[in-house]
Amino acid sequence: MDGLVKSFGQTTVLQDFSVRLGEGEILALLGLSGSGKTTALRLLAGFETPDRGKILLDGVDVTAMAPEKRGFGMVFQHYALFPHMTVAQNVAFGLESRGWDKARIRTRIDEMLALVHLKGFGERRVSAISGGQQQRVALARALAPEPRLLLLDEPLSNLDPALREKTRDELRTAVRRLGITTVLVTHEQEEAFHVGDRIAVLHQGRLQQVGSAMDLYRRPETPFVASFIGRSGRLMGTVQDGDTGGGDNISDGTVAVSLGAGAIWRGRPAKGVQVEADKQVAAVVRPEALTLDASAQSMGLNGKVVEIRFTGPLIYAVVELAARGQESQGSTPRVDVWVEGDPPEVGAEVRIGLRAAGPVPTLFSPKGFD
């Protein structure tokens, strides 16, 4: 996808969108509602035509090619199955028009139903099976014609959380087994992380960053990615070192940042962010990078616990900072701190520090968060 632009009326919903997929790769398009991810998928499918830009498949321009000629498979959010047909008839739909004989179609139906763990379901009506089973029928139907590219539009959004996790595993396993290049649209981070080899994050029609889940979490390149992916807190600071290429920096590319109250932590500038001494920066920190017991190596910031968030396997303390200089637009910042062991009481005065082995804070220009 090279420089795709798409507008509806006066609204540009996709702006200069460029991504390259490798054969057999699973790419997840992740973003909020209205970010442009579904539009990108519809352009790929051929349901919409870009105002500018190209779509190339193995070097061949397919931008103006009709959807039925692209040889792509698609699973829609609401599955688009035929309720009056059996499971087998749904899976077989369209194979005869491709010139397949009955014996080959029957064999393919059996192969696809076995792949999605629905062996023996062929004669059941779609209306008589569960939502999770319907999702697997839709996947089997999309995979049956051996598509060159598989497009998945929020395929798990209608399932309850427990079934969604199970079906997500089955989806990735099936696609992996067949080695089909796949594009998945989702607004669920966990789903994108679990299924995608790489994730493309979109916001307001613009591509923010493409990378692995670890890349996005540990090294966000834009303020939106830093705030959107996972939990994070934002601290205001002043750079003590010079530019990242200068002699005042240690070998890992970090710079020292004063956060006030005597706390000086090291952070790594985001891609394209230039820093210099005395420059104001916003440091994005992850909960697991912080500790409630400030060590000698991690000078601390004073704060008060205002909430405890229990998520099952993890506990977070929400700490309201007391350090001067941390106020942003008139509000006192809060950060989530990962708690090991028993959490402190709400209202407890605490001191947070930077964990020596945790992820390094990422530095941005404060204006990027306006």
Side-chain angles (χ1 to χ4, degrees):
M1 292 168 278
D2 184 17
L4 297 181
V5 177
K6 182 63 180 178
S7 298
F8 295 100
Q10 299 299 313
T11 304
T12 300
V13 295
L14 201 65
Q15 180 66 45
D16 194 27
F17 181 72
S18 298
V19 175
R20 180 186 295 269
L21 282 81
E23 185 175 359
E25 181 180 16
I26 303 174
L27 177 73
L29 302 183
L30 175 66
L32 300 170
S33 296
S35 63
K37 57 187 185 297
T38 296
T39 297
L41 196 75
R42 290 180 63 82
L43 291 174
L44 263 180
F47 300 148
E48 304 285 352
T49 302
D51 302 327
R52 293 197 302 275
K54 295 180 179 181
I55 299 172
L56 304 176
L57 181 64
D58 289 336
V60 177
D61 190 340
V62 299
T63 312
M65 185 179 292
E68 65 273 15
K69 294 183 178 180
R70 298 190 183 199
F72 296 170
M74 188 159 185
V75 177
F76 298 92
Q77 183 174 355
H78 298 288
Y79 313 146
L81 297 173
F82 301 105
H84 63 284
M85 292 183 178
T86 66
V87 167
Q89 288 170 335
N90 270 274
V91 175
F93 183 79
L95 295 183
E96 287 185 0
S97 64
R98 290 175 169 84
W100 291 38
D101 59 46
K102 291 185 178 180
R104 185 184 178 194
I105 291 175
R106 183 71 256 173
T107 299
R108 190 61 173 171
I109 291 171
D110 292 341
E111 290 173 348
M112 291 298 97
L113 292 182
L115 180 69
V116 297
H117 303 292
L118 288 177
K119 185 177 180 180
F121 279 68
E123 299 309 312
R124 297 193 189 186
R125 294 279 182 179
V126 165
S127 57
I129 61 177
S130 69
Q133 290 166 340
Q134 289 180 15
Q135 190 277 339
R136 283 183 273 167
V137 172
L139 177 61
R141 183 180 64 180
L143 293 173
E146 301 175 344
R148 304 173 73 183
L149 181 68
L150 178 63
L151 307 177
L152 305 172
D153 186 12
E154 301 269 12
L156 308 180
S157 61
N158 295 322
L159 305 180
D160 62 66
L163 184 57
R164 185 184 304 134
E165 183 173 355
K166 179 177 183 293
T167 309
R168 186 171 62 211
D169 291 338
E170 294 172 345
L171 170 65
R172 180 175 173 84
T173 299
V175 172
R176 273 268 164 262
R177 189 176 302 165
L178 295 176
I180 293 179
T181 308
T182 301
V183 179
L184 164 72
V185 161
T186 180
H187 64 276
E188 294 282 349
Q189 293 184 32
E190 187 175 352
E191 185 174 303
F193 285 7
H194 184 80
V195 178
D197 298 315
R198 287 188 303 151
I199 300 116
V201 180
L202 290 94
H203 180 55
Q204 296 181 345
R206 292 186 177 274
L207 181 63
Q208 300 289 305
Q209 186 175 348
V210 182
S212 67
M214 186 68 75
D215 290 336
L216 298 177
Y217 188 81
R218 291 289 180 90
R219 292 179 179 254
E221 295 179 0
T222 70
F224 176 77
V225 174
S227 302
F228 178 61
I229 299 296
R231 293 174 179 265
S232 65
R234 178 161 35 108
L235 303 175
M236 306 306 295
T238 304
V239 176
Q240 301 297 293
D241 293 332
D243 187 84
T244 53
D248 293 332
N249 303 285
I250 58 178
S251 60
D252 64 0
T254 63
V255 296
V257 176
S258 173
L259 303 174
I264 298 178
W265 296 356
R266 299 203 75 91
R268 181 177 291 109
K271 182 179 179 181
V273 174
Q274 298 296 316
V275 297
E276 56 188 18
D278 300 324
K279 184 175 181 178
Q280 296 294 307
V281 291
V284 174
V285 293
R286 300 297 185 184
E288 67 273 23
L290 301 174
T291 172
L292 291 175
D293 298 313
S295 66
Q297 292 76 28
S298 302
M299 293 173 284
L301 293 170
N302 293 326
K304 181 174 69 175
V305 177
V306 295
E307 185 181 349
I308 297 296
R309 293 176 179 166
F310 178 75
T311 66
L314 299 175
I315 301 174
Y316 299 93
V318 183
V319 178
E320 187 175 87
L321 297 177
R324 294 188 62 184
Q326 287 302 324
E327 297 82 359
S328 176
Q329 299 180 345
S331 63
T332 303
R334 296 181 175 186
V335 294
D336 289 352
V337 182
W338 178 41
V339 178
E340 296 179 278
D342 295 329
E345 297 289 335
V346 172
E349 300 290 335
V350 294
R351 189 167 173 81
I352 63 171
L354 191 64
R355 194 181 301 272
V360 177
T362 305
L363 307 179
F364 295 92
S365 167
K367 293 182 179 179
F369 292 91
D370 294 342

